[in-house]
Amino acid sequence: MDTYILKISFVVEMAVILYIFCTSMQKKRYFWTKAIFGISILLVLNGFWNSEWPMIGLFFRYFAIILLFYLLLEICYDEKTNKKLFCLTAAYSVQTILYCSYTILEYLFHCLLSVSLAEKISYIVYVVVYFVGYMACFLFFAERVNKNVNLDNKIVITLAGCIILVSNLFNILILQARIPEYAYQLLYKPMSNILCILLLCFQFNLVSNQSLIIERNLLEHLLSEKDKQYQISKNNIELIQMKCHDLKYQLEALRHNSNNINNEVINEIKDKIDIYDSMIKTGNEALDVILTEKSLICKKLKINITVMIDGSKLNFMNVIDLYCMFGNVIDNAIEALKKETNIEKRLIDITSRLNGNIFSINIVNYCSEKLKWEEGLPISSKKDKNNHGFGLKSVKYIIGQYDGDMIVYKKDDLFVLNLLLPLK
């Protein structure tokens, strides 16, 4: 390719890769007008950029283009600075990788084939390399960027600066040294590719690690909130029991002291009170509280919940962990069963079994909904993915604190959850 085409192709390639990385970012008004106008300016500036000092000019040209691309992101996308910088840095690395890969293959074809044939093939090679690169970028990187980039601005700025400076300075030094063409194509270009691949992997590892830290902090915050909720639930259950206990005696007194009261009405009231006075007993106070609380909700929603569990085996667990674990599991089952129109299928079955020193808890409920899975867990069907979908993740996190394991699967219309806990 001649010099002019190389100049404008860099801008076009960067624009395409950046757009792929920014597919889910919030666009501002008149996005396409701004984008076309901005890229046109970049093409003109880059195409006609000339300098009396080629090496210095090359460095400042790339630096200026990267800066202008960032300004273009600012006027086109309504996102945080760190996300824009991250996408820009990643796009620059990908563009360098694709360009180096193409030029290496082009050089090899020129070495192995006649000049005319190599020229014809070079355009095919260019299309294939960039098409494969764009597809790989979309499939393997874009989704990970679109999920969450929560890196600190200083980290992203430092990373962006390092990638741009190292890549350009290294390029200038190599060109200044006037090394042979074969060494430039077969040594420097592969080294540049390796460097960019490592930096790209480093970038996305930072994102993954940061996402895990944020998720862990959110789970810990949810656990602390469950502590307060447990105390409230415990007090409410105790208060309900006391009031129901008193009401039963008052009803009996009313029945014996009045001849005008309909016994059927009293019996009906008494039956309803018995529902709230029948606390589930498992041998573990925290488990009793959460199961009683959820059973009342189930009765209201016409969901039949059966519990056959030896709660005494779970006395080694932290009260809040236990409350949070069972609360999330039953809440998920209730959410699924609320969608069931067939009342007979509104069932939750909770059982336990001891195998050696492994205490297994089995929770089964009907679920006719087709589920989507990610990393072995069902994805929340609620629209707000940032604030939902942490139920089973928090259960898995809690189980992990006790060296346990969680198995989740769906068989026909049954959603099955197995919690395996080693007894201490």
Side-chain angles (χ1 to χ4, degrees):
M1 293 184 184
D2 59 44
T3 306
Y4 181 77
I5 293 175
L6 281 173
K7 283 181 178 180
I8 64 171
S9 65
F10 172 74
V11 173
V12 174
E13 291 159 14
M14 276 291 295
V16 173
I17 297 166
L18 258 179
Y19 183 74
I20 291 171
F21 275 120
C22 302
T23 47
S24 74
M25 286 169 61
Q26 184 66 41
K27 297 178 179 70
K28 291 184 177 179
R29 286 186 72 187
Y30 310 115
F31 169 80
W32 286 110
T33 304
K34 293 174 182 177
I36 292 168
F37 179 72
I39 291 168
S40 300
I41 292 173
L42 278 163
L43 287 169
V44 171
L45 288 175
N46 195 40
F48 294 100
W49 181 295
N50 286 305
S51 174
E52 295 179 11
W53 302 283
M55 295 301 107
I56 298 173
L58 182 67
F59 174 76
F60 280 106
R61 178 164 67 87
Y62 278 108
F63 185 79
I65 290 168
I66 295 298
L67 182 61
L68 288 170
F69 262 115
Y70 174 73
L71 293 175
L72 185 61
L73 289 176
E74 282 291 332
I75 65 171
C76 288
Y77 290 100
D78 187 17
E79 291 286 347
K80 293 179 181 178
T81 302
N82 62 347
K83 194 166 186 177
K84 293 172 186 172
L85 279 171
F86 184 91
C87 290
L88 181 62
T89 308
Y92 184 75
S93 292
V94 170
Q95 191 280 331
T96 304
I97 292 166
L98 295 180
Y99 175 71
C100 288
S101 300
Y102 162 68
T103 53
I104 292 167
L105 290 172
E106 185 187 38
Y107 176 75
L108 290 173
F109 280 121
H110 273 91
C111 292
L112 299 171
L113 304 172
S114 64
V115 176
S116 59
L117 184 58
E119 286 292 333
K120 291 176 183 177
I121 290 176
S122 67
Y123 292 102
I124 299 171
V125 172
Y126 179 84
V127 171
V128 171
V129 167
Y130 277 85
F131 177 78
V132 171
Y134 292 154
M135 289 300 295
C137 186
F138 179 76
L139 295 172
F140 299 113
F141 294 116
E143 188 180 350
R144 294 177 67 186
V145 171
N146 296 336
K147 279 185 177 179
N148 263 319
V149 174
N150 296 300
L151 296 176
D152 185 82
N153 281 349
K154 292 178 182 177
I155 296 173
V156 181
I157 291 169
T158 305
L159 191 61
C162 286
I163 290 173
I164 294 165
L165 285 171
V166 169
S167 178
N168 284 303
L169 286 173
F170 193 31
N171 194 28
I172 289 167
L173 290 172
I174 292 293
L175 291 174
Q176 191 68 35
R178 300 180 187 278
I179 64 172
E181 178 72 7
Y182 72 87
Y184 179 70
Q185 294 292 351
L186 301 179
L187 291 176
Y188 162 68
K189 290 288 178 69
M191 286 173 61
S192 179
N193 258 7
I194 291 168
L195 177 65
C196 287
I197 290 168
L198 289 173
L199 287 169
L200 203 60
C201 291
F202 179 66
Q203 272 187 275
F204 281 93
N205 278 334
L206 278 177
V207 170
S208 297
N209 291 337
Q210 191 70 15
S211 296
L212 287 173
I213 290 168
I214 291 170
E215 190 172 293
R216 187 187 67 187
N217 290 339
L218 179 57
L219 290 175
E220 288 176 350
H221 173 71
L222 290 173
L223 286 174
S224 67
E225 288 298 311
K226 287 291 183 182
D227 188 5
K228 299 173 189 174
Q229 189 179 331
Y230 169 69
Q231 294 302 329
I232 294 168
S233 297
K234 185 181 175 184
N235 293 336
N236 286 343
I237 293 293
E238 288 175 353
L239 184 62
I240 289 170
Q241 281 189 296
M242 288 170 57
K243 293 295 183 184
C244 288
H245 192 68
D246 291 344
L247 276 171
K248 281 202 293 187
Y249 281 108
Q250 290 171 15
L251 280 172
E252 286 298 321
L254 191 62
R255 190 207 301 266
H256 293 297
N257 294 329
S258 176
N259 295 322
N260 297 324
I261 298 294
N262 189 326
N263 284 330
E264 288 183 8
V265 174
I266 291 179
N267 288 334
E268 186 180 345
I269 296 171
K270 189 173 178 296
D271 289 339
K272 288 180 179 179
I273 291 172
D274 284 338
I275 292 172
Y276 292 94
D277 195 30
S278 56
M279 185 167 181
I280 295 173
K281 301 291 183 182
T282 65
N284 183 291
E285 185 182 19
L287 191 56
D288 295 346
V289 169
I290 187 64
L291 290 176
T292 301
E293 181 185 44
K294 297 303 178 185
S295 69
L296 296 178
I297 294 170
C298 286
K299 287 183 186 297
K300 184 179 178 182
L301 297 170
K302 296 181 180 178
I303 295 172
N304 186 21
I305 181 169
T306 59
V307 180
M308 292 184 67
I309 183 169
D310 183 1
S312 64
K313 295 290 190 296
L314 298 172
N315 286 333
F316 68 92
M317 287 186 69
N318 179 281
V319 168
I320 307 308
D321 288 344
L322 197 59
Y323 181 84
C324 184
M325 186 172 78
F326 276 90
N328 281 315
V329 167
I330 298 171
D331 282 344
N332 278 356
I334 290 172
E335 282 297 318
L337 292 172
K338 278 162 67 176
K339 300 171 186 176
E340 288 290 342
T341 53
N342 187 347
I343 300 297
E344 291 182 359
K345 288 187 176 182
R346 291 192 172 189
L347 304 169
I348 303 174
D349 184 55
I350 303 174
T351 56
S352 68
R353 200 167 74 178
L354 183 63
N355 293 317
N357 72 324
I358 301 297
F359 187 66
S360 64
I361 303 159
N362 188 255
I363 301 99
V364 182
N365 62 270
Y366 272 95
C367 179
S368 57
E369 183 183 6
K370 193 172 183 179
L371 301 176
K372 292 182 180 179
W373 299 77
E374 186 178 272
E375 297 178 359
L377 296 176
I379 302 172
S380 174
S381 59
K382 294 180 180 177
K383 291 182 180 179
D384 186 3
K385 296 290 190 288
N386 291 328
N387 294 314
H388 293 104
F390 283 94
L392 289 181
K393 284 185 180 179
S394 64
V395 174
K396 190 173 183 179
Y397 175 75
I398 293 166
I399 286 286
Q401 301 299 303
Y402 296 90
D403 300 320
D405 195 12
M406 183 175 82
I407 302 168
V408 187
Y409 62 92
K410 190 170 181 282
K411 185 177 180 182
D412 298 327
D413 283 344
L414 292 179
F415 185 83
V416 183
L417 178 67
N418 287 328
L419 306 176
L420 306 173
L421 284 159
L423 299 182
K424 306 248 174 147

PDB file of all heavy atoms in Angstrom, residues 135-157:
ATOM      1  N   MET A 135     -14.156  -9.721  13.649  1.00  0.00           N
ATOM      2  CA  MET A 135     -15.069 -10.721  14.203  1.00  0.00           C
ATOM      3  C   MET A 135     -14.596 -11.192  15.577  1.00  0.00           C
ATOM      4  O   MET A 135     -15.394 -11.311  16.520  1.00  0.00           O
ATOM      5  CB  MET A 135     -15.187 -11.921  13.255  1.00  0.00           C
ATOM      6  CG  MET A 135     -15.953 -11.639  11.983  1.00  0.00           C
ATOM      7  SD  MET A 135     -17.660 -11.104  12.283  1.00  0.00           S
ATOM      8  CE  MET A 135     -18.343 -12.579  13.015  1.00  0.00           C
ATOM      9  N   ALA A 136     -13.290 -11.450  15.701  1.00  0.00           N
ATOM     10  CA  ALA A 136     -12.727 -11.885  16.995  1.00  0.00           C
ATOM     11  C   ALA A 136     -12.904 -10.799  18.037  1.00  0.00           C
ATOM     12  O   ALA A 136     -13.238 -11.072  19.201  1.00  0.00           O
ATOM     13  CB  ALA A 136     -11.252 -12.233  16.823  1.00  0.00           C
ATOM     14  N   CYS A 137     -12.698  -9.565  17.621  1.00  0.00           N
ATOM     15  CA  CYS A 137     -12.851  -8.413  18.522  1.00  0.00           C
ATOM     16  C   CYS A 137     -14.288  -8.333  19.036  1.00  0.00           C
ATOM     17  O   CYS A 137     -14.524  -8.122  20.231  1.00  0.00           O
ATOM     18  CB  CYS A 137     -12.478  -7.148  17.760  1.00  0.00           C
ATOM     19  SG  CYS A 137     -12.450  -5.660  18.748  1.00  0.00           S
ATOM     20  N   PHE A 138     -15.242  -8.526  18.122  1.00  0.00           N
ATOM     21  CA  PHE A 138     -16.664  -8.453  18.490  1.00  0.00           C
ATOM     22  C   PHE A 138     -17.069  -9.607  19.404  1.00  0.00           C
ATOM     23  O   PHE A 138     -17.777  -9.409  20.398  1.00  0.00           O
ATOM     24  CB  PHE A 138     -17.520  -8.456  17.224  1.00  0.00           C
ATOM     25  CG  PHE A 138     -18.998  -8.410  17.492  1.00  0.00           C
ATOM     26  CD1 PHE A 138     -19.619  -7.233  17.869  1.00  0.00           C
ATOM     27  CD2 PHE A 138     -19.765  -9.562  17.391  1.00  0.00           C
ATOM     28  CE1 PHE A 138     -20.981  -7.199  18.119  1.00  0.00           C
ATOM     29  CE2 PHE A 138     -21.124  -9.538  17.648  1.00  0.00           C
ATOM     30  CZ  PHE A 138     -21.735  -8.349  18.005  1.00  0.00           C
ATOM     31  N   LEU A 139     -16.607 -10.818  19.080  1.00  0.00           N
ATOM     32  CA  LEU A 139     -17.028 -12.016  19.811  1.00  0.00           C
ATOM     33  C   LEU A 139     -16.357 -12.173  21.172  1.00  0.00           C
ATOM     34  O   LEU A 139     -16.991 -12.597  22.135  1.00  0.00           O
ATOM     35  CB  LEU A 139     -16.762 -13.270  18.965  1.00  0.00           C
ATOM     36  CG  LEU A 139     -17.577 -13.401  17.672  1.00  0.00           C
ATOM     37  CD1 LEU A 139     -17.073 -14.564  16.846  1.00  0.00           C
ATOM     38  CD2 LEU A 139     -19.054 -13.571  17.984  1.00  0.00           C
ATOM     39  N   PHE A 140     -15.064 -11.822  21.263  1.00  0.00           N
ATOM     40  CA  PHE A 140     -14.308 -12.132  22.469  1.00  0.00           C
ATOM     41  C   PHE A 140     -14.060 -10.932  23.386  1.00  0.00           C
ATOM     42  O   PHE A 140     -13.848 -11.093  24.582  1.00  0.00           O
ATOM     43  CB  PHE A 140     -12.960 -12.761  22.108  1.00  0.00           C
ATOM     44  CG  PHE A 140     -13.086 -14.052  21.359  1.00  0.00           C
ATOM     45  CD1 PHE A 140     -12.693 -14.162  20.037  1.00  0.00           C
ATOM     46  CD2 PHE A 140     -13.640 -15.167  21.966  1.00  0.00           C
ATOM     47  CE1 PHE A 140     -12.822 -15.352  19.341  1.00  0.00           C
ATOM     48  CE2 PHE A 140     -13.780 -16.366  21.283  1.00  0.00           C
ATOM     49  CZ  PHE A 140     -13.368 -16.454  19.961  1.00  0.00           C
ATOM     50  N   PHE A 141     -14.086  -9.716  22.838  1.00  0.00           N
ATOM     51  CA  PHE A 141     -13.717  -8.564  23.660  1.00  0.00           C
ATOM     52  C   PHE A 141     -14.859  -7.579  23.905  1.00  0.00           C
ATOM     53  O   PHE A 141     -15.009  -7.071  25.004  1.00  0.00           O
ATOM     54  CB  PHE A 141     -12.546  -7.808  23.022  1.00  0.00           C
ATOM     55  CG  PHE A 141     -11.269  -8.602  22.986  1.00  0.00           C
ATOM     56  CD1 PHE A 141     -10.693  -8.965  21.786  1.00  0.00           C
ATOM     57  CD2 PHE A 141     -10.639  -8.988  24.157  1.00  0.00           C
ATOM     58  CE1 PHE A 141      -9.530  -9.695  21.747  1.00  0.00           C
ATOM     59  CE2 PHE A 141      -9.471  -9.723  24.126  1.00  0.00           C
ATOM     60  CZ  PHE A 141      -8.915 -10.080  22.918  1.00  0.00           C
ATOM     61  N   ALA A 142     -15.659  -7.326  22.846  1.00  0.00           N
ATOM     62  CA  ALA A 142     -16.675  -6.273  22.954  1.00  0.00           C
ATOM     63  C   ALA A 142     -17.648  -6.512  24.100  1.00  0.00           C
ATOM     64  O   ALA A 142     -17.947  -5.597  24.872  1.00  0.00           O
ATOM     65  CB  ALA A 142     -17.443  -6.160  21.634  1.00  0.00           C
ATOM     66  N   GLU A 143     -18.136  -7.755  24.241  1.00  0.00           N
ATOM     67  CA  GLU A 143     -19.117  -8.056  25.300  1.00  0.00           C
ATOM     68  C   GLU A 143     -18.525  -7.828  26.685  1.00  0.00           C
ATOM     69  O   GLU A 143     -19.202  -7.341  27.589  1.00  0.00           O
ATOM     70  CB  GLU A 143     -19.593  -9.499  25.165  1.00  0.00           C
ATOM     71  CG  GLU A 143     -20.740  -9.825  26.107  1.00  0.00           C
ATOM     72  CD  GLU A 143     -21.217 -11.253  25.973  1.00  0.00           C
ATOM     73  OE1 GLU A 143     -20.802 -11.945  25.026  1.00  0.00           O
ATOM     74  OE2 GLU A 143     -22.005 -11.675  26.838  1.00  0.00           O
ATOM     75  N   ARG A 144     -17.241  -8.176  26.852  1.00  0.00           N
ATOM     76  CA  ARG A 144     -16.599  -8.004  28.157  1.00  0.00           C
ATOM     77  C   ARG A 144     -16.432  -6.532  28.499  1.00  0.00           C
ATOM     78  O   ARG A 144     -16.539  -6.138  29.653  1.00  0.00           O
ATOM     79  CB  ARG A 144     -15.241  -8.702  28.165  1.00  0.00           C
ATOM     80  CG  ARG A 144     -15.347 -10.219  28.052  1.00  0.00           C
ATOM     81  CD  ARG A 144     -14.003 -10.877  27.993  1.00  0.00           C
ATOM     82  NE  ARG A 144     -13.280 -10.729  29.239  1.00  0.00           N
ATOM     83  CZ  ARG A 144     -12.017 -11.119  29.425  1.00  0.00           C
ATOM     84  NH1 ARG A 144     -11.359 -11.674  28.420  1.00  0.00           N
ATOM     85  NH2 ARG A 144     -11.431 -10.953  30.584  1.00  0.00           N
ATOM     86  N   VAL A 145     -16.194  -5.698  27.477  1.00  0.00           N
ATOM     87  CA  VAL A 145     -16.105  -4.253  27.710  1.00  0.00           C
ATOM     88  C   VAL A 145     -17.479  -3.708  28.051  1.00  0.00           C
ATOM     89  O   VAL A 145     -17.646  -2.905  28.963  1.00  0.00           O
ATOM     90  CB  VAL A 145     -15.562  -3.518  26.460  1.00  0.00           C
ATOM     91  CG1 VAL A 145     -15.674  -2.009  26.624  1.00  0.00           C
ATOM     92  CG2 VAL A 145     -14.111  -3.885  26.222  1.00  0.00           C
ATOM     93  N   ASN A 146     -18.499  -4.181  27.329  1.00  0.00           N
ATOM     94  CA  ASN A 146     -19.853  -3.644  27.489  1.00  0.00           C
ATOM     95  C   ASN A 146     -20.470  -3.970  28.837  1.00  0.00           C
ATOM     96  O   ASN A 146     -21.341  -3.268  29.315  1.00  0.00           O
ATOM     97  CB  ASN A 146     -20.753  -4.179  26.370  1.00  0.00           C
ATOM     98  CG  ASN A 146     -20.295  -3.687  25.005  1.00  0.00           C
ATOM     99  OD1 ASN A 146     -19.641  -2.656  24.916  1.00  0.00           O
ATOM    100  ND2 ASN A 146     -20.610  -4.419  23.966  1.00  0.00           N
ATOM    101  N   LYS A 147     -20.022  -5.068  29.467  1.00  0.00           N
ATOM    102  CA  LYS A 147     -20.598  -5.458  30.757  1.00  0.00           C
ATOM    103  C   LYS A 147     -20.272  -4.428  31.824  1.00  0.00           C
ATOM    104  O   LYS A 147     -21.124  -3.819  32.423  1.00  0.00           O
ATOM    105  CB  LYS A 147     -20.073  -6.834  31.172  1.00  0.00           C
ATOM    106  CG  LYS A 147     -20.792  -7.983  30.505  1.00  0.00           C
ATOM    107  CD  LYS A 147     -20.294  -9.291  31.074  1.00  0.00           C
ATOM    108  CE  LYS A 147     -21.060 -10.445  30.457  1.00  0.00           C
ATOM    109  NZ  LYS A 147     -20.605 -11.734  30.964  1.00  0.00           N
ATOM    110  N   ASN A 148     -18.987  -4.255  32.093  1.00  0.00           N
ATOM    111  CA  ASN A 148     -18.574  -3.341  33.160  1.00  0.00           C
ATOM    112  C   ASN A 148     -17.103  -3.016  33.065  1.00  0.00           C
ATOM    113  O   ASN A 148     -16.280  -3.909  33.055  1.00  0.00           O
ATOM    114  CB  ASN A 148     -18.841  -3.947  34.544  1.00  0.00           C
ATOM    115  CG  ASN A 148     -20.141  -3.468  35.140  1.00  0.00           C
ATOM    116  OD1 ASN A 148     -20.478  -2.305  35.042  1.00  0.00           O
ATOM    117  ND2 ASN A 148     -20.873  -4.363  35.739  1.00  0.00           N
ATOM    118  N   VAL A 149     -16.785  -1.736  32.985  1.00  0.00           N
ATOM    119  CA  VAL A 149     -15.406  -1.276  33.108  1.00  0.00           C
ATOM    120  C   VAL A 149     -15.387  -0.338  34.297  1.00  0.00           C
ATOM    121  O   VAL A 149     -15.848   0.795  34.223  1.00  0.00           O
ATOM    122  CB  VAL A 149     -14.923  -0.559  31.824  1.00  0.00           C
ATOM    123  CG1 VAL A 149     -13.538   0.026  32.039  1.00  0.00           C
ATOM    124  CG2 VAL A 149     -14.891  -1.535  30.663  1.00  0.00           C
ATOM    125  N   ASN A 150     -14.884  -0.842  35.412  1.00  0.00           N
ATOM    126  CA  ASN A 150     -14.920  -0.072  36.657  1.00  0.00           C
ATOM    127  C   ASN A 150     -13.522   0.293  37.155  1.00  0.00           C
ATOM    128  O   ASN A 150     -13.308   0.490  38.329  1.00  0.00           O
ATOM    129  CB  ASN A 150     -15.642  -0.881  37.748  1.00  0.00           C
ATOM    130  CG  ASN A 150     -17.084  -1.128  37.393  1.00  0.00           C
ATOM    131  OD1 ASN A 150     -17.847  -0.198  37.216  1.00  0.00           O
ATOM    132  ND2 ASN A 150     -17.456  -2.389  37.247  1.00  0.00           N
ATOM    133  N   LEU A 151     -12.571   0.359  36.214  1.00  0.00           N
ATOM    134  CA  LEU A 151     -11.211   0.674  36.611  1.00  0.00           C
ATOM    135  C   LEU A 151     -11.088   2.136  37.001  1.00  0.00           C
ATOM    136  O   LEU A 151     -11.776   3.009  36.465  1.00  0.00           O
ATOM    137  CB  LEU A 151     -10.241   0.378  35.461  1.00  0.00           C
ATOM    138  CG  LEU A 151     -10.132  -1.086  35.021  1.00  0.00           C
ATOM    139  CD1 LEU A 151      -9.226  -1.194  33.815  1.00  0.00           C
ATOM    140  CD2 LEU A 151      -9.592  -1.953  36.135  1.00  0.00           C
ATOM    141  N   ASP A 152     -10.169   2.406  37.899  1.00  0.00           N
ATOM    142  CA  ASP A 152      -9.883   3.774  38.310  1.00  0.00           C
ATOM    143  C   ASP A 152      -9.328   4.557  37.118  1.00  0.00           C
ATOM    144  O   ASP A 152      -8.548   4.035  36.323  1.00  0.00           O
ATOM    145  CB  ASP A 152      -8.872   3.759  39.462  1.00  0.00           C
ATOM    146  CG  ASP A 152      -8.631   5.161  39.999  1.00  0.00           C
ATOM    147  OD1 ASP A 152      -9.433   5.642  40.814  1.00  0.00           O
ATOM    148  OD2 ASP A 152      -7.635   5.766  39.583  1.00  0.00           O
ATOM    149  N   ASN A 153      -9.713   5.833  36.996  1.00  0.00           N
ATOM    150  CA  ASN A 153      -9.264   6.660  35.872  1.00  0.00           C
ATOM    151  C   ASN A 153      -7.747   6.728  35.758  1.00  0.00           C
ATOM    152  O   ASN A 153      -7.178   6.707  34.671  1.00  0.00           O
ATOM    153  CB  ASN A 153      -9.816   8.079  36.006  1.00  0.00           C
ATOM    154  CG  ASN A 153     -11.268   8.156  35.568  1.00  0.00           C
ATOM    155  OD1 ASN A 153     -11.792   7.211  34.992  1.00  0.00           O
ATOM    156  ND2 ASN A 153     -11.925   9.253  35.845  1.00  0.00           N
ATOM    157  N   LYS A 154      -7.059   6.813  36.903  1.00  0.00           N
ATOM    158  CA  LYS A 154      -5.599   6.922  36.890  1.00  0.00           C
ATOM    159  C   LYS A 154      -4.964   5.669  36.283  1.00  0.00           C
ATOM    160  O   LYS A 154      -3.981   5.751  35.549  1.00  0.00           O
ATOM    161  CB  LYS A 154      -5.075   7.134  38.316  1.00  0.00           C
ATOM    162  CG  LYS A 154      -5.446   8.488  38.906  1.00  0.00           C
ATOM    163  CD  LYS A 154      -4.944   8.622  40.321  1.00  0.00           C
ATOM    164  CE  LYS A 154      -5.375   9.960  40.929  1.00  0.00           C
ATOM    165  NZ  LYS A 154      -4.941  10.079  42.349  1.00  0.00           N
ATOM    166  N   ILE A 155      -5.532   4.505  36.626  1.00  0.00           N
ATOM    167  CA  ILE A 155      -5.012   3.241  36.085  1.00  0.00           C
ATOM    168  C   ILE A 155      -5.183   3.203  34.572  1.00  0.00           C
ATOM    169  O   ILE A 155      -4.262   2.854  33.829  1.00  0.00           O
ATOM    170  CB  ILE A 155      -5.728   2.033  36.724  1.00  0.00           C
ATOM    171  CG1 ILE A 155      -5.438   1.964  38.226  1.00  0.00           C
ATOM    172  CG2 ILE A 155      -5.316   0.725  36.056  1.00  0.00           C
ATOM    173  CD1 ILE A 155      -6.229   0.897  38.959  1.00  0.00           C
ATOM    174  N   VAL A 156      -6.370   3.584  34.093  1.00  0.00           N
ATOM    175  CA  VAL A 156      -6.649   3.532  32.654  1.00  0.00           C
ATOM    176  C   VAL A 156      -5.786   4.533  31.902  1.00  0.00           C
ATOM    177  O   VAL A 156      -5.242   4.227  30.828  1.00  0.00           O
ATOM    178  CB  VAL A 156      -8.147   3.801  32.380  1.00  0.00           C
ATOM    179  CG1 VAL A 156      -8.435   3.723  30.891  1.00  0.00           C
ATOM    180  CG2 VAL A 156      -9.016   2.800  33.107  1.00  0.00           C
ATOM    181  N   ILE A 157      -5.640   5.752  32.439  1.00  0.00           N
ATOM    182  CA  ILE A 157      -4.817   6.778  31.785  1.00  0.00           C
ATOM    183  C   ILE A 157      -3.365   6.326  31.712  1.00  0.00           C
ATOM    184  O   ILE A 157      -2.706   6.460  30.677  1.00  0.00           O
ATOM    185  CB  ILE A 157      -4.936   8.126  32.540  1.00  0.00           C
ATOM    186  CG1 ILE A 157      -6.347   8.705  32.355  1.00  0.00           C
ATOM    187  CG2 ILE A 157      -3.892   9.122  32.035  1.00  0.00           C
ATOM    188  CD1 ILE A 157      -6.661   9.871  33.260  1.00  0.00           C
TER     189      ILE A 157
END
